[in-house]
Amino acid sequence: MSLELLQQAVEARATDIHLEPTQDSLRIRLRVDGSLLFLKVLPDPGGKQLCSRIKVQAGMDIAQRMLPQDGSMRLTCREQSWDIRVASQPTILGEKLVLRLLPVQPLEQDLTSLGMEEETREAFARLFYKGQGLVLVTGPTGSGKTTTLYAALNLLDRQRLNIMTMEDPVEYRMKDIIQTQVNYRGGLDFAAALRGALRQDPDVMLVGEIRDAETAAISLRAALTGHLVLATMHTQDSRSAVARLLDMECAPYQVAAALNGVLAQRLVRIPCSCQGGCARCLDSGYYGRTGVFELLVVNGAVKDAILNSSPLPPPGVTILDDCRAKLRAGLTDDAQFRQLSLSLEEGQ
């Protein structure tokens, strides 16, 4: 891989590099703050040579261009190591490559830096101090769920607790916790990894995603037997996560007893100080993102609603409420608010 390309991506704060074949060139775009931004076009044969070089470095079959492949490499840029995951996809014009950039250094963010307001932050932290139960973080792909859970792990005493994670993939390295990457081809799915972790005398377990009934059932049982279980789900809002657990045939009494709370979140873009477009924001008008959150604490009223199959009471502050507050504070703009409103209306 070209170190110049990696440097450009790092300077732009990109999470992904897209190398897209055209008729006689390679279009390069960067995903920054959730949106793809054009970087440059590399004419052939330079474009094809770059893709071939990346495949070699990532340990992929350079001769195979008709099937998707996955690979990885580690590079250093500006004294920082990066794990780079490469995925190829055949297209009618050639292979497209997407490179996911993951910093190797441990994640040491806190909940405040994610944009969580004090009242929500304190209520969310109390869910962890119980020492047992299930805490869910929900939202669509790319909404920052894993980052939030890792920030929450900083609330716990990693020296005194046995903290284990099961992830797909392991996106952040964290000191003093045991991290496992699931391997579907090898038969290690989330359920199998969770069953294995339960034999390792865990205090806290982080499940990358509850996506099936078996993983949901094991997570609930673990939460009911004295473990703190943290997990993500793909649901529209906090109340939808409860409905999803019940749809997975989890018994209402188990959900009511085990679930501590559900945090739903999205990411919205922060307007750049240029108020239009500049080199710093790559002429996008935005620089950085902040989270918008809603927290459903499972109190007596919520437990009763679950047990009686009644509508759940709404959270005190919804995602849209939090976005309005950030709009008033200048941390987002009308366009982002409208986009968020539309996505929630459409159930995305």
Side-chain angles (χ1 to χ4, degrees), residues 76-98:
T76 300
C77 178
R78 295 192 168 187
E79 301 181 353
Q80 165 66 56
S81 293
W82 296 85
D83 277 337
I84 302 173
R85 297 197 170 95
V86 184
S88 71
Q89 177 73 17
T91 78
I92 59 172
L93 296 177
E95 278 188 297
K96 172 177 177 174
L97 301 184
V98 174

Side-chain angles (χ1 to χ4, degrees), residues 236 266 319-320 339-348:
Q236 177 183 356
R266 296 287 196 283
I319 288 177
L320 278 182
Q339 183 176 331
L340 176 62
S341 300
L342 184 61
S343 69
L344 289 171
E345 287 175 5
E346 294 178 349
Q348 297 177 357

